[in-house]
Each structure stands twice: as structure tokens, then as C-alpha cells.
Amino acid sequence: MTVAAEDQDKRLRKGRRAEKSELTRNRLFEAAIRLVGDRGYAGSTIRKITSHARIAHGTFYNYFESQQDIFDQLLPYLGEKLRQYLETRLEDNVSFFERQDVLLVAFDDFIQENPAFYRVLTEAEVFAPKAYRVYVADNVEWFIRHFSADRRRGEFDAIREQQLEVIAFILMASHHYLNMRFSNWMGEVTRMPSWAVETFRDFVRGGMMSVNGRQDLIEPPVQADLTAPAASSAPASADQPTEIVKFTPRPADTELSYSAQSIQLDCRTTHIERGHVVVELDVDRRTLNSRGAVSGGTLTALMEIAGAAAMHDRAHQLSAETISINCTVIRAATEGVLCADSRVENAGRNIRFVTIRITLDGVDGPLIAQGTVTYRVIE
């Protein structure tokens, strides 16, 4: 065999080894995706992944350093798979509006073919935060790259470069939550209805035309000083929130502690069914702040109590720890009965999300606060 022939043979063998290596890595990824979709990250071990992939346990370490290593690469791998899938549905030089129509439907189709996607995504924020950040950054970059091509063709020439990231996040959130609601609601995979697609289409068209045509009206947002004393004791209007409370509690906490105060609430449950609970709390001196209104800490504590009651699975007696609470206070309340209406909106095996509305003097009363509580289920 000549030297040239030997070199060619070596290149062929090297190429086959690289191809085989990539196939093995992808088999491990796909097995991990199926497992996380079925059992969550907490229920997916190296041994289970290699067993599902039909690959020797020791071979796993030729590709990943640890279980966390494959978790940190899993969502970016699935994100790349999603973007490649979307690209195949796009024609060259398609307009911005045409692309949004195609992407929403294509995202829906991807969910039908990859039902484990949402659990891999939603639980990654807790179990693989590094992967979650990479996934978001890669998707934003992908959207902005397409926006830049639109602008080079003369579309939306009045929109500033710095606004593209905001638009990318808006569209990403729309795709995510619309498909979660209509394509994979509570684990039930369905098809997105045409009227939902049409509503999204009209909303995007109106919003983009407004932003593109009204640049002279854009001003820096006014930052409210929430630490300053109130100028008046009158309740705030519904379109002017008084404060926003966000926190991440410590798992070891034995009391609900917010805003440097400990709160012990005497609540009562007035309605309960699977995934839906109403909890009431009488407003008294202990629940008020120095301005005479119900404190943000009280409202946040009430949200956690009502949320935990709504997501509690009595059949299996699951316990859970609070990961985060996002509470937006809409208007002040000085007296009466607070009514926390909580509903489980989306749930996985290990992560649950509960939306809560706090109203005054009944579920149909004035809206006082609203927000979301995220829980990690402990088995």
C-alpha cells in the first residue's frame, strides 16, 4: 500500500471513530431526555441512563465527567436540536411576520415529537442552572441573528439595536407559555388551536408596528422609591402597584420570615379540591405595616400557605420546600378579609408552579395582590 493510500485509510478510520463517538454521545443524551421527561432529574441516575441507552456503565465516563456534567449539557443539546428543527421550517428571506407564524406552529410540532422537552426545560432552572442559562442565551442569540437579517432588508428600521433583545425575550416567552398551555398542559400533549395561533399573530403584528412607529414616545422608565413613606393613606390604583416582593427562602426556615419580621398567620380554608384551594385571613393589627396597610410580608406569607395547600397531593402525602415566590402588590388593604385563591397551573414530578390571586372580602372582590410560588417536591 502506498503512503498516500495509507494516509487516506487512516483518515477514513478516524472519521468512522468520530462518527461512532458522536452517535454514542447522542444515544446517552436521548436516553437522559426520556428519563428526565418521565422521572425528572432527581430520578435519572448514570446507571439508569446507560441502561436505557444500552451502553456499558463505564463507557459513560468516556463522554461525561459526572451525572451533573450530562445534566449541564442536556438542555443545550435539546435547544440546538430545537433550533435546527425550526430552521428546517424556514424559507430563505422570509419576512419577520411570516417567520413568527411559522415558528409558533413549528414549536408546537416539535413538542408533539419531543414530549419530554418541557420537563427537561422547567426542572433545569433548579437542577441544571448552568444549562438553563446557556439555553436562554443561545436562543436569544438565534432570535437576534434573524432580527438583524430583517433589518438589513429594511424591516423595522426604526427599532434600535438595544431593543432587539427585549423583543427576543417577548417572543421566546410567548412561544414557551402558549405551547405549554395549548400543547403540553399538565402533561397532556394536544394540538394548538388555530384561534390561538391567530391571536398570537395579531398581537405580534400590532405590537411590532407600534414599537417601530412610535420611537419618539419612548422614555426611560421611572423607578419608584418603595422605601419612602406614602404621601397618602388612600389605596393605590389597580394600574399602579405599590410594591413587588421577591425572595428565595432558606430551606431550613421553621417560620415564614420576610422583610425582617416573623409572621404567624391564623388562616382558614374555605374551599378545596384537587389543585385548587381558597384560604382566608382576617386583617388585624399584626398583619399591618407602619402605614396602616397589609404588609407585603403578610401577603407573601399568605401566598406560600395557600400555594402549599393547593399543590399538596393528599393521596401520596408529598412534602415540598419553597424555591421562590414572586408577589406583586396591586393595591393597599387596610381592613376586611383577605382571600387567597390558588391554582396549580403547571406541574412536573419534582417542580410545581402555583398561581395565586389575593382579593378582599371574597374571590370576586377587589384584587389586592397576585403572584406565583415555585415548589420543589421532596419524596
Side-chain angles (χ1 to χ4, degrees):
M1 181 181 294
T2 65
V3 174
E6 288 180 355
D7 290 343
Q8 182 178 8
D9 185 59
K10 289 180 181 179
R11 286 195 297 270
L12 289 174
R13 289 199 301 270
K14 185 177 180 180
R16 286 194 291 268
R17 285 196 299 270
E19 182 179 358
K20 183 179 179 181
S21 178
E22 183 178 2
L23 289 174
T24 302
R25 177 185 290 270
N26 290 346
R27 283 172 61 187
L28 290 167
F29 275 137
E30 295 299 330
I33 289 170
R34 291 194 299 270
L35 271 171
V36 172
D38 182 46
R39 306 181 184 184
Y41 285 88
S44 302
T45 63
I46 294 176
R47 190 167 298 281
K48 291 177 180 177
I49 292 172
T50 54
S51 176
H52 277 65
R54 298 184 181 278
I55 292 174
H57 183 82
T59 303
F60 176 91
Y61 296 98
N62 293 334
Y63 300 91
F64 305 101
E65 295 180 358
S66 62
Q67 179 175 296
Q68 189 60 49
D69 186 27
I70 190 173
F71 286 170
D72 287 341
Q73 297 185 49
L74 192 59
L75 184 56
Y77 166 83
L78 194 53
E80 179 62 25
K81 186 176 178 180
L82 167 63
R83 292 187 294 274
Q84 290 177 355
Y85 184 92
L86 297 178
E87 288 284 4
T88 63
R89 304 289 288 272
L90 295 175
E91 298 180 1
D92 293 338
N93 298 322
V94 64
S95 71
F96 173 88
F97 290 130
E98 291 172 335
R99 185 169 64 254
Q100 304 320 309
D101 293 347
V102 172
L103 290 180
L104 185 63
V105 176
F107 200 144
D108 183 21
D109 292 339
F110 182 82
I111 299 303
Q112 308 302 317
E113 298 178 18
N114 300 271
F117 173 79
Y118 269 115
R119 191 162 188 180
V120 175
L121 173 62
T122 56
E123 291 194 13
E125 192 170 6
V126 175
F127 291 96
K130 176 182 176 182
Y132 188 84
R133 290 192 295 270
V134 170
Y135 168 83
V136 172
D138 287 347
N139 277 5
V140 170
E141 190 279 331
W142 185 81
F143 271 92
I144 291 178
R145 177 162 50 83
H146 281 287
F147 292 160
S148 298
D150 296 333
R151 298 181 75 206
R152 286 194 296 271
R153 291 196 300 268
E155 292 188 71
F156 307 116
D157 52 357
I159 294 180
R160 298 193 299 270
E161 189 74 26
Q162 69 191 63
Q163 293 177 284
L164 297 183
E165 182 181 11
V166 177
I167 297 170
F169 271 99
I170 291 172
L171 292 173
M172 284 171 53
S174 298
H175 291 167
H176 172 65
Y177 284 104
L178 285 174
N179 275 282
M180 181 177 68
R181 171 61 183 87
F182 292 107
S183 301
N184 195 359
W185 186 242
M186 301 291 285
E188 180 183 355
V189 179
T190 58
R191 297 295 303 185
M192 184 176 297
S194 59
W195 61 263
V197 177
E198 292 169 1
T199 302
F200 169 77
R201 176 187 304 152
D202 294 341
F203 186 85
V204 171
R205 277 168 167 72
M208 288 297 293
M209 295 303 293
S210 177
V211 173
N212 189 62
R214 305 187 63 182
Q215 296 302 301
D216 58 317
L217 300 182
I218 296 178
E219 298 178 356
V222 177
Q223 299 295 326
D225 182 5
L226 302 180
T227 62
S232 170
S233 60
S237 62
D239 57 353
Q240 186 179 3
T242 57
E243 58 182 312
I244 296 176
V245 181
K246 286 187 178 182
F247 79 105
T248 301
R250 298 184 301 276
D253 283 347
T254 56
E255 291 184 315
L256 302 174
S257 300
Y258 316 100
S259 305
Q261 61 178 321
S262 295
I263 305 171
Q264 294 181 336
L265 303 179
D266 297 322
C267 301
R268 56 185 177 274
T269 300
T270 60
H271 170 80
I272 184 167
E273 61 185 23
R274 185 68 177 270
H276 178 204
V277 168
V278 177
V279 175
E280 290 185 352
L281 173 68
D282 295 324
V283 175
D284 58 25
R285 182 175 55 82
R286 295 178 305 159
T287 64
L288 303 180
N289 58 25
S290 59
R291 291 175 287 181
V294 175
S295 67
T298 298
L299 294 171
T300 309
L302 179 58
M303 280 195 170
E304 182 171 19
I305 292 169
M311 60 77 63
H312 185 63
D313 189 335
R314 295 178 180 272
H316 299 89
Q317 294 297 307
L318 298 180
S319 60
E321 64 180 10
T322 308
I323 298 174
S324 64
I325 296 178
N326 186 337
C327 171
T328 301
V329 183
I330 306 300
R331 54 164 58 82
T334 58
E335 60 182 358
V337 178
L338 297 175
C339 182
D341 188 336
S342 59
R343 299 172 185 268
V344 179
E345 295 292 346
N346 185 40
R349 179 178 178 182
N350 297 101
I351 300 297
R352 298 196 178 183
F353 305 93
V354 183
T355 59
I356 302 169
R357 299 176 76 255
I358 298 179
T359 53
L360 190 64
D361 297 330
V363 293
D364 297 324
L367 181 63
I368 302 301
Q370 60 187 5
T372 304
V373 187
T374 305
Y375 296 93
R376 179 191 289 114
V377 175
I378 304 172
E379 301 187 19

